[in-house]
Amino acid sequence: MGEDTDTRKINHSFLRDHSYVTEADIISTVEFNHTGELLATGDKGGRVVIFQREPESKNAPHSQGEYDVYSTFQSHEPEFDYLKSLEIEEKINKIKWLPQQNAAHSLLSTNDKTIKLWKITERDKRPEGYNLKDEEGKLKDLSTVTSLQVPVLKPMDLMVEVSPRRIFANGHTYHINSISVNSDCETYMSADDLRINLWHLAVTDRSFNIVDIKPANMEDLTEVITASEFHPHHCNLFVYSSSKGSLRLCDMRAAALCDKHSKLFEEPEDPSSRSFFSEIISSVSDVKFSHSGRYMLTRDYLTVKVWDLNMEARPIETYQVHDYLRSKLCSLYENDCIFDKFECAWNGSDSVIMTGAYNNFFRMFDRNSKRDVTLEASRESSKPRAVLKPRRVCMGGKRRRDDISVDSLDFTKKILHTAWHPAENIIAIAATNNLYIFQDKVNSDMH
Amino acid sequence: MMLSKGLKRKREEEEEEEEKKEDLEVDAWWLDPGHPAVTQTPPTVASSSLFDLSVLKLHHSLRQSEPDLRHLVLVVNTLRRIQASMAPTVTLPPVPSPPIVPSVADNLLASSDATLSTSIASLLEDLSHIEGLSQAPQPLADEGPPGRPVGATPPSLGALDLLSPATGCLLDDGLEGLFEDIDTSMYDSELWVPASEGLKPGPEDGPGKEGAPELDEAELDYLMDVLVGTQALERPPGPGR
């Protein structure tokens, strides 16, 4: 695949490989691993489903690198906190892969309160020819054993085994919204509404609190932490976003407690567009460092913004995701849609950014050409292997044939979770309980 | 299809002058395009109905056994903005930063804002109190050396620690009262007094019913009852969600 040429321009020729219906369970997180070979999804029922990319084969050109189910396991169960008379949801909020260090794969999955480290191993050989046991495992009658044999490893059907290696519990009073693995591959952080903790992957009975924004009096509470992430290369740097739309870059080497930020990224409010809902729509729902580590991507209710780490005063780029909603904010406040938290993603070369919207639409912005496209993830609108058609939302006035009127958008169909393959133009889109995987097939035949 | 569980909106003509500063445009886009109202300049929504909506959202959020803190904070901040804009012409001590103790001399708006804030504050305080007891790291995190290593073993709790301040008072009275007086109805009413003390607004004591006409006593009393009711609801066992 010609990735360099692909990323120069937005290519509309996306093919749909599969849609996976995970039995009406709503997908709550999607994450590729570092090579893109594996794709993990978490759902509201506490399950994790891992997909693996099949190696490309010349014999079947159409099944070029498609994703199939690799493993499914129950990560979190519903819990009951007897002290508070509360049910702790088993919904998986975030999954993060650890960089692969041996044959096994590892990932962290978290619900509101507890983070778990899972190890995924493959077994494709089985020892046969035991001396004391027979094939079913029953002990042999010793009188029948006349000679010694060395057990041999025989191939067997691939079995994927998943086991919980660590359980990081009791670290958070409030709801965990993010986890992020450090580039040192030894530590990771977890953030809830008011605090961020640093953990060592091997130690479960303690964590270090590195950010605490809980006020002495809860009545003074006006801001919460909404997302956080470690810098991809500098193990001492991390960023966290707030409900007031600010980003704080912190250096763990400056102080043990990072309440004081190294840099504060905040865009001054535009007085002309000020409304009662200004704060709500400025709340950052996701923050992602670029692969290069030079930029940060943030998502608030109506826009995605690119920030340069060297410029705190304002973002260097702002893209409108669905500005046609700006005049509908009151209704969206009424039905709580204004509180929806959308994620955002970079492509592998940091030239294209992607985020979800309503009506199963998702948007892509090419930073170089400044072109953008709206696509739809739904079975009705695309058949397998068909090319996705760009969509348009019209406000009124002149309307083309396939345009969607803003009044007929379905606000229950929200694409909150999206992921981009680390190197190739493959994207994973979670549309409620369906997972869509789109691949970019730039092929001279298609055009 | 838009999911809109709408409230009936009151349109107050006199509100429009006050709202020149904070113009909120909502075009009635869900109406038939041929409707005359849509083609005209969209009317500004009365702040009072937005206030009502926000108060309802606040109730709903606080009623959850484990409120979504982000949602709560955003609604509270929006509510404060709306309140601040509802009486721009009345001169009073800075409304956006509510006083901790409601002063009887304040006018109706300020006292209701303070009352509201105090109610929110007391509920958030209860929230943190309860949260703090059940989670191990929290009490340890507030002390200790920089870096704050946090242990995982929960601190041992006395029985009384588990109770909120309101019911703590009840037990103090009840232990002696149980021997003296077998009429338990007195203690049922006792349950409510400590919680609502200081929260009830005193509009009768105030200098007069000036300020925003929209905040009437009935609304405030209703709000207080619900908030006090919320406190009682936190204690019964069973799944909270």
Side-chain angles (χ1 to χ4, degrees):
Chain A
M1 272 193 215
E3 283 134 35
D4 289 327
T5 47
D6 288 352
T7 54
R8 286 268 170 241
K9 55 183 165 69
I10 290 286
N11 205 304
H12 300 173
S13 60
F14 278 90
L15 302 183
R16 189 172 69 88
D17 290 328
H18 293 279
S19 84
Y20 298 92
V21 180
T22 56
E23 296 178 316
D25 269 2
I26 297 165
I27 300 171
S28 47
T29 188
V30 186
E31 190 82 6
F32 281 100
N33 76 336
H34 295 272
T35 60
E37 184 210 350
L38 298 175
L39 174 68
T41 63
D43 65 24
K44 237 183 147 190
R47 280 185 315 169
V48 171
V49 181
I50 302 176
F51 300 87
Q52 184 186 44
R53 193 177 184 196
E54 296 306 318
E56 293 185 24
S57 114
K58 293 195 174 76
N59 298 334
H62 282 301
S63 67
Q64 217 171 337
E66 288 183 357
Y67 285 82
D68 289 324
V69 177
Y70 177 67
S71 174
T72 303
F73 62 95
Q74 189 75 29
S75 170
H76 286 70
E77 300 271 8
E79 280 172 51
F80 195 74
D81 183 335
Y82 290 93
L83 205 59
K84 288 197 281 179
S85 291
L86 290 175
E87 204 176 272
I88 299 170
E89 260 194 278
E90 68 273 31
K91 172 169 76 90
I92 308 295
N93 293 337
K94 281 285 171 347
I95 291 174
K96 284 284 146 80
W97 291 91
L98 266 54
Q100 194 177 6
Q101 288 173 330
N102 49 41
H105 296 277
S106 300
L107 59 79
L108 289 169
S109 69
T110 186
N111 67 349
D112 283 339
K113 299 286 185 177
T114 304
I115 307 134
K116 294 187 184 179
L117 174 66
W118 293 90
K119 195 165 179 182
I120 302 128
T121 47
E122 287 184 2
R123 190 193 291 270
D124 61 355
K125 290 183 186 54
R126 179 181 57 213
E128 276 179 23
Y130 283 99
N131 289 293
L132 298 175
K133 290 189 287 184
D134 65 16
E135 292 306 310
E136 282 94 53
K138 287 193 301 198
L139 283 173
K140 282 185 191 172
D141 182 359
L142 281 179
S143 58
T144 65
V145 177
T146 51
S147 60
L148 283 177
Q149 56 181 351
V150 178
V152 290
L153 289 174
K154 292 266 173 71
M156 59 180 261
D157 289 338
L158 179 67
M159 211 162 70
V160 180
E161 296 173 336
V162 182
S163 62
R165 284 302 221 235
R166 306 266 191 274
I167 297 180
F168 304 91
N170 299 321
H172 288 276
T173 304
Y174 305 101
H175 291 177
I176 298 173
N177 52 55
S178 330
I179 48 175
S180 178
V181 183
N182 199 333
S183 51
D184 67 8
C185 302
E186 287 185 351
T187 58
Y188 76 96
M189 69 167 164
S190 55
D192 65 31
D193 293 315
L194 299 178
R195 297 194 177 100
I196 301 181
N197 292 337
L198 182 72
W199 303 81
H200 193 286
L201 284 165
V203 179
T204 58
D205 64 354
R206 73 183 61 224
S207 67
F208 281 82
N209 179 252
I210 54 176
V211 174
D212 188 337
I213 65 167
K214 186 182 177 198
N217 287 319
M218 279 295 265
E219 65 189 64
D220 297 332
L221 181 67
T222 56
E223 197 172 9
V224 297
I225 297 168
T226 52
S228 70
E229 199 182 46
F230 267 119
H231 191 280
H233 310 308
H234 303 301
C235 57
N236 57 306
L237 289 181
F238 66 93
V239 69
Y240 71 91
S241 59
S242 84
S243 55
K244 285 197 170 172
S246 62
L247 299 171
R248 283 171 176 81
L249 187 71
C250 301
D251 187 338
M252 294 197 293
R253 294 196 286 221
L257 187 54
C258 302
D259 282 355
K260 277 184 119 102
H261 49 265
S262 297
K263 291 193 182 184
L264 172 65
F265 298 81
E266 212 167 21
E267 186 172 25
E269 198 179 353
D270 177 11
S272 66
S273 62
R274 194 161 187 256
S275 76
F276 292 121
F277 309 114
S278 295
E279 183 177 321
I280 302 180
I281 63 169
S282 75
S283 174
V284 173
S285 51
D286 194 16
V287 62
K288 293 264 169 50
F289 278 103
S290 64
H291 292 91
S292 63
R294 278 190 57 195
Y295 305 104
M296 296 182 296
L297 181 66
T298 58
R299 175 67 154 100
D300 51 61
Y301 191 62
L302 296 178
T303 69
V304 279
K305 294 178 170 142
V306 178
W307 302 77
D308 187 320
L309 284 186
N310 296 318
M311 190 163 83
E312 300 166 65
R314 75 188 73 79
I316 57 169
E317 293 156 33
T318 299
Y319 301 94
Q320 301 296 331
V321 179
H322 37 206
D323 202 51
Y324 45 79
L325 296 183
R326 200 175 283 273
S327 55
K328 325 287 183 201
L329 292 179
C330 198
S331 309
L332 294 163
Y333 177 67
E334 205 179 337
N335 64 15
D336 271 348
C337 281
I338 206 175
F339 298 101
D340 286 336
K341 290 183 286 186
F342 293 92
E343 291 171 9
C344 52
W346 296 91
N347 75 336
S349 59
D350 300 335
S351 60
V352 182
I353 55 190
M354 167 173 72
T355 188
Y358 293 107
N359 209 73
N360 279 352
F361 287 166
F362 58 100
R363 304 263 285 137
M364 287 188 188
F365 304 91
D366 186 321
R367 297 178 61 212
N368 299 323
S369 68
K370 301 301 180 200
R371 284 170 53 197
D372 62 84
V373 69
T374 304
L375 299 169
E376 183 177 358
S378 79
R379 273 183 285 187
E380 288 77 42
S381 68
S382 56
K383 296 184 174 57
R385 309 203 185 291
V387 172
L388 279 183
K389 201 174 47 181
R391 310 309 307 264
R392 242 173 62 105
V393 178
C394 67
M395 284 288 294
K398 216 168 178 203
R399 193 193 143 149
R400 283 189 240 157
R401 195 165 58 106
D402 289 321
D403 285 1
I404 310 283
S405 155
V406 69
D407 307 339
S408 53
L409 289 174
D410 188 342
F411 287 83
T412 62
K413 293 187 176 161
K414 30 195 128 188
I415 293 184
L416 304 173
H417 312 289
T418 60
W420 204 309
H421 189 287
E424 299 183 36
N425 277 354
I426 303 170
I427 56 177
I429 309 283
T432 316
N433 59 342
N434 291 329
L435 178 72
Y436 292 84
I437 300 174
F438 298 103
Q439 285 197 15
D440 189 11
K441 301 274 195 228
V442 179
N443 199 326
S444 53
D445 299 333
M446 302 301 295
H447 300 279
Chain B
M1 193 172 56
M2 177 75 168
L3 272 192
S4 179
K5 294 177 175 65
L7 284 182
K8 285 215 165 108
R9 288 196 177 83
K10 292 186 288 181
R11 248 197 82 195
E12 302 289 338
E13 311 297 326
E14 45 277 301
E15 289 293 326
E16 289 181 0
E17 284 105 37
E18 288 179 1
E19 274 157 84
K20 292 239 160 74
K21 214 168 60 165
E22 299 255 6
D23 236 20
L24 185 67
E25 277 200 327
V26 175
D27 52 337
W29 53 276
W30 59 87
L31 295 177
D32 175 24
H35 197 283
V38 178
T39 54
Q40 290 162 8
T41 314
T44 54
V45 174
S47 285
S48 66
S49 50
L50 201 59
F51 176 84
D52 294 341
L53 173 63
S54 301
V55 167
L56 261 157
K57 281 193 182 299
L58 182 61
H59 284 194
H60 182 73
S61 199
L62 289 169
R63 273 207 157 109
Q64 307 294 321
S65 37
E66 215 173 2
D68 177 354
L69 224 52
R70 172 184 167 260
H71 186 271
L72 185 65
V73 156
L74 289 174
V75 169
V76 166
N77 290 351
T78 306
L79 192 52
R80 285 184 174 143
R81 275 200 196 205
I82 295 165
Q83 267 193 317
S85 76
M86 281 175 80
T89 53
V90 179
T91 52
L92 33 77
V95 171
S97 45
I100 308 287
V101 176
S103 160
V104 170
D106 287 350
N107 82 350
L108 184 65
L109 178 59
S111 70
S112 63
D113 175 68
T115 322
L116 177 65
S117 301
T118 316
S119 320
I120 298 166
S122 69
L123 275 150
L124 287 174
E125 199 57 55
D126 278 348
L127 182 79
S128 76
H129 186 70
I130 292 167
E131 299 265 17
L133 291 171
S134 65
Q135 286 299 325
Q138 210 257 341
L140 297 178
D142 294 332
E143 312 135 4
R148 301 203 287 233
V150 163
T153 51
S156 52
L157 301 167
L160 271 180
D161 289 345
L162 292 172
L163 301 169
S164 67
T167 52
C169 301
L170 170 64
L171 257 177
D172 288 339
D173 294 332
L175 275 172
E176 294 166 53
L178 276 170
F179 294 113
E180 289 172 0
D181 193 338
I182 56 172
D183 181 9
T184 57
S185 61
M186 280 184 70
Y187 305 107
D188 290 340
S189 59
E190 280 282 313
L191 178 64
W192 301 100
V193 169
S196 60
E197 230 167 38
L199 295 186
K200 263 209 147 143
E204 302 86 23
D205 304 329
K209 292 191 173 54
E210 25 174 305
E214 305 311 313
L215 296 170
D216 55 34
E217 294 173 39
E219 281 189 47
L220 283 169
D221 284 343
Y222 170 69
L223 174 57
M224 289 314 122
D225 285 344
V226 172
L227 287 170
V228 169
T230 308
Q231 289 195 334
L233 283 172
E234 277 178 359
R235 279 179 294 116
R241 277 175 209 262

